[in-house]
Amino acid sequence: MADRKLIAVVGATGAQGGGLAHAILDDPTGGFVCRAVTRHPASEKAQALKSAGAEVVQADLDDVSSLEEAFSGAYGAFCVTNFWEHFSAEKEKAQARNMTDAARKAGLSHVIWSTLEDTRKLMAPGDNRMPFLQEKYRVPHFDAKAEADSYFAGLPVTYLVTSFYWDNLYTFGLGPKKGEDGSYTWVFPMGDKRLAGIASEDIGKVAYGIFKAGPAYIGKTVGIAGEFLTLDRMAFMLSKALGIRIKYQAVEPDAYRSFGFPGADELGNMFQVYRDFEKEVVGARSADLASVLNPSLLTFDEWIGKYKSRIPL
Ligand SMILES: NC(=O)c1ccc[n+]([C@@H]2O[C@H](COP(=O)([O-])OP(=O)(O)OC[C@H]3O[C@@H](n4cnc5c(N)ncnc54)[C@H](OP(=O)(O)O)[C@@H]3O)[C@@H](O)[C@H]2O)c1
């Protein structure tokens, strides 16, 4: 134990951090131990991590002193924020700031920050193809994370640029919808462009590969995806695996933004970025590097095979 490196995993009860926590716990001779950071140590997920061998500690991203304790004595930390809990770019930045303050105080040797690109850099300020949200952001949950990148400067950090989770099909209500004639429609404002997607569990597994690589990725930006596929192609693959007919329907981003569900404007802007800046978004991510860092990286077909029973139809 003493010679094993302790990783404080923020979000260990969630998708990204959970992937990392399990990667550490599933590899007992790998040289790392997992400290799961959660607000709710008594929760079922936290208790399951404890039973699997993790140390579980209580901390809140809004409370820097709790993070200082959670990071104290650790070799490294995995840092992630959850925009979708509060929908606030400013809060996301404040939480990232708290993690960097705590990481400095703890003198960590390696920090991984789960981030995304600043979509504002892709468009001139006067470009009116999409609205600004929360006053100054194009895609707040991207732009806020990118702004927070600068807080990590000076720390031994790896910037991990993630991709759209395929798991959104069952966790985020983004699966195909059944019509009155029994066929399924899958609506996105993505035109015929490729979506950079990934199994959410693979993000944490890549993070584990980064920690295992030692200093090789410190100071680097690592953009990852599982596969780059058009929605047409994904609908075809899903149809085949599920034995139903799913038709991808491309809509305009303005129409998507007006759908009215919470976050529709945010997701409309995000998919429009994916569509209008396919080259830049795809170019910032690599499935090859992701599979070097995580040799069990899932393809979309493999993800469907593993998770299809969870997709509500
Ligand atoms: N969905 C996608 O396609 C996608 C793609 C790329 C990036 N992302 C980003 O992923 C992030 C969310 O990560 P996820 O999907 O892994 O989360 P998740 O599965 O929804 O779980 C959220 C995790 O964050 C922890 N957490 C939230 N607020 C916290 C706080 N105040 N203090 C301490 N812990 C807190 C929760 O821990 P406890 O509840 O146990 O405290 C939980 O472990 C978002 O910011 C999103 O923008 C999502």
Side-chain angles (χ1 to χ4, degrees), residues 14-47:
Q16 296 192 27
L20 171 59
H22 286 289
I24 296 172
L25 295 167
D26 291 347
D27 185 13
T29 58
F32 291 89
V33 284
C34 172
R35 178 183 285 168
V37 180
T38 173
R39 290 163 296 180
H40 312 292
S43 71
E44 209 175 301
K45 285 185 175 169
Q47 285 301 308

Coordinates of all heavy atoms in Angstrom, one line a residue, residues 14-47:
G14 N -19.7 8.9 -10.4 CA -20.3 9.3 -11.7 C -19.7 8.5 -12.8 O -18.9 7.6 -12.6
A15 N -20.0 9.0 -14.1 CA -19.5 8.3 -15.3 C -18.0 8.3 -15.5 O -17.4 7.3 -15.6 CB -20.3 8.9 -16.5
Q16 N -17.5 9.6 -15.5 CA -16.1 9.7 -15.8 C -15.2 9.2 -14.7 O -14.3 8.3 -14.9 CB -15.7 11.1 -16.1 CG -16.4 11.7 -17.4 CD -15.8 13.0 -17.8 OE1 -14.7 13.3 -17.5 NE2 -16.6 13.8 -18.5
G17 N -15.4 9.7 -13.5 CA -14.6 9.3 -12.3 C -14.9 7.9 -12.0 O -13.9 7.2 -11.6
G18 N -16.1 7.4 -12.2 CA -16.4 6.0 -12.0 C -15.5 5.1 -12.9 O -15.1 4.0 -12.4
G19 N -15.3 5.5 -14.1 CA -14.5 4.7 -15.0 C -13.1 4.6 -14.5 O -12.5 3.5 -14.5
L20 N -12.6 5.7 -14.0 CA -11.2 5.7 -13.4 C -11.2 4.9 -12.1 O -10.3 4.1 -11.9 CB -10.8 7.1 -13.1 CG -9.4 7.3 -12.4 CD1 -8.3 6.6 -13.1 CD2 -9.1 8.8 -12.2
A21 N -12.1 5.1 -11.2 CA -12.1 4.4 -9.9 C -12.1 2.9 -10.2 O -11.3 2.1 -9.6 CB -13.4 4.8 -9.1
H22 N -13.0 2.4 -11.1 CA -13.0 1.0 -11.4 C -11.8 0.5 -12.1 O -11.3 -0.6 -11.8 CB -14.3 0.7 -12.2 CG -15.5 0.7 -11.3 ND1 -15.8 -0.2 -10.3 CD2 -16.5 1.6 -11.2 CE1 -16.9 0.1 -9.7 NE2 -17.3 1.2 -10.2
A23 N -11.2 1.3 -12.9 CA -9.9 0.9 -13.6 C -8.8 0.7 -12.5 O -8.1 -0.3 -12.6 CB -9.5 2.0 -14.6
I24 N -8.8 1.6 -11.5 CA -7.8 1.4 -10.5 C -8.1 0.2 -9.6 O -7.2 -0.7 -9.4 CB -7.7 2.7 -9.6 CG1 -7.3 3.9 -10.4 CG2 -6.8 2.4 -8.3 CD1 -7.4 5.2 -9.6
L25 N -9.4 0.0 -9.3 CA -9.7 -1.1 -8.4 C -9.6 -2.4 -9.1 O -9.3 -3.4 -8.4 CB -11.2 -0.9 -7.9 CG -11.4 0.4 -7.0 CD1 -12.9 0.7 -6.8 CD2 -10.7 0.1 -5.6
D26 N -9.8 -2.4 -10.4 CA -9.8 -3.7 -11.2 C -8.3 -4.1 -11.4 O -8.1 -5.2 -12.1 CB -10.5 -3.6 -12.5 CG -12.0 -3.4 -12.3 OD1 -12.5 -3.7 -11.2 OD2 -12.7 -3.1 -13.3
D27 N -7.4 -3.3 -11.0 CA -6.0 -3.6 -11.3 C -5.1 -3.5 -10.0 O -4.3 -2.5 -9.9 CB -5.5 -2.5 -12.4 CG -4.1 -2.8 -12.9 OD1 -3.5 -3.9 -12.6 OD2 -3.5 -2.0 -13.5
P28 N -5.4 -4.4 -9.1 CA -4.7 -4.2 -7.8 C -3.2 -4.2 -7.8 O -2.6 -3.7 -6.8 CB -5.3 -5.4 -7.0 CG -6.0 -6.3 -8.0 CD -6.2 -5.6 -9.2
T29 N -2.6 -4.8 -8.8 CA -1.1 -4.8 -8.9 C -0.6 -3.6 -9.7 O 0.6 -3.5 -10.1 CB -0.6 -6.1 -9.4 OG1 -1.1 -6.3 -10.7 CG2 -1.0 -7.3 -8.5
G30 N -1.5 -2.7 -10.1 CA -1.1 -1.6 -11.1 C -0.3 -0.5 -10.4 O 0.1 0.4 -11.1
G31 N -0.3 -0.5 -9.1 CA 0.6 0.6 -8.4 C -0.2 1.8 -8.0 O 0.4 2.7 -7.5
F32 N -1.6 1.7 -8.1 CA -2.4 2.9 -7.6 C -3.5 2.4 -6.7 O -3.9 1.3 -6.7 CB -3.0 3.5 -8.9 CG -2.1 4.2 -9.8 CD1 -1.4 3.5 -10.8 CD2 -1.7 5.6 -9.6 CE1 -0.5 4.2 -11.6 CE2 -0.8 6.2 -10.4 CZ -0.2 5.5 -11.4
V33 N -3.9 3.4 -5.8 CA -5.0 3.1 -5.0 C -6.0 4.3 -5.2 O -5.6 5.4 -5.6 CB -4.7 3.0 -3.5 CG1 -4.1 1.7 -3.2 CG2 -3.8 4.1 -3.0
C34 N -7.3 4.0 -5.0 CA -8.3 4.9 -5.3 C -8.9 5.5 -4.0 O -9.4 4.8 -3.1 CB -9.5 4.2 -6.0 SG -10.9 5.2 -6.3
R35 N -8.9 6.9 -4.0 CA -9.7 7.6 -3.0 C -10.9 8.2 -3.7 O -10.7 9.2 -4.5 CB -8.8 8.7 -2.3 CG -9.6 9.5 -1.3 CD -8.7 10.6 -0.7 NE -7.7 10.1 0.3 CZ -6.7 10.8 0.7 NH1 -6.5 12.0 0.3 NH2 -5.8 10.3 1.6
A36 N -12.1 7.7 -3.4 CA -13.3 8.2 -4.0 C -13.8 9.4 -3.3 O -14.0 9.4 -2.1 CB -14.3 7.1 -4.0
V37 N -13.9 10.5 -4.0 CA -14.4 11.8 -3.4 C -15.9 12.0 -3.8 O -16.3 11.9 -4.9 CB -13.6 13.0 -4.0 CG1 -14.1 14.3 -3.4 CG2 -12.1 12.8 -3.8
T38 N -16.7 12.1 -2.7 CA -18.1 12.2 -2.9 C -18.7 13.1 -1.9 O -18.2 13.3 -0.8 CB -18.8 10.8 -2.9 OG1 -20.2 11.0 -2.9 CG2 -18.4 10.1 -1.6
R39 N -19.9 13.7 -2.2 CA -20.6 14.5 -1.2 C -21.4 13.6 -0.2 O -21.8 13.9 0.8 CB -21.6 15.5 -1.8 CG -21.0 16.6 -2.5 CD -21.9 17.3 -3.5 NE -22.3 16.4 -4.5 CZ -23.2 16.6 -5.5 NH1 -23.7 17.8 -5.5 NH2 -23.4 15.8 -6.4
H40 N -21.6 12.3 -0.7 CA -22.5 11.4 0.0 C -21.9 10.1 0.2 O -22.2 9.1 -0.5 CB -23.8 11.2 -0.8 CG -24.4 12.5 -1.3 ND1 -24.9 13.5 -0.4 CD2 -24.5 13.1 -2.5 CE1 -25.4 14.5 -1.1 NE2 -25.1 14.3 -2.4
P41 N -21.0 10.0 1.2 CA -20.3 8.7 1.4 C -21.2 7.5 1.7 O -20.8 6.4 1.5 CB -19.4 9.0 2.6 CG -19.3 10.4 2.7 CD -20.5 11.0 2.1
A42 N -22.4 7.8 2.2 CA -23.3 6.7 2.5 C -24.1 6.2 1.3 O -24.9 5.3 1.4 CB -24.3 7.1 3.6
S43 N -24.0 6.9 0.2 CA -24.8 6.5 -1.0 C -24.5 5.1 -1.5 O -23.4 4.6 -1.2 CB -24.6 7.5 -2.1 OG -23.3 7.4 -2.7
E44 N -25.4 4.5 -2.2 CA -25.2 3.2 -2.7 C -23.9 3.1 -3.5 O -23.1 2.1 -3.4 CB -26.4 2.8 -3.5 CG -26.7 1.3 -3.6 CD -28.0 1.1 -4.3 OE1 -29.0 1.6 -3.9 OE2 -27.9 0.3 -5.3
K45 N -23.7 4.1 -4.4 CA -22.5 4.0 -5.3 C -21.2 4.2 -4.5 O -20.2 3.5 -4.8 CB -22.6 5.1 -6.4 CG -23.6 4.8 -7.5 CD -23.6 5.8 -8.6 CE -24.5 5.3 -9.7 NZ -24.8 6.4 -10.7
A46 N -21.2 5.1 -3.5 CA -20.0 5.2 -2.7 C -19.8 4.0 -1.9 O -18.6 3.5 -1.8 CB -20.2 6.4 -1.8
Q47 N -20.8 3.4 -1.4 CA -20.6 2.2 -0.6 C -20.1 1.0 -1.5 O -19.3 0.2 -1.0 CB -21.9 1.8 0.1 CG -22.2 2.7 1.3 CD -21.1 2.7 2.4 OE1 -20.7 1.6 2.8 NE2 -20.6 3.9 2.8

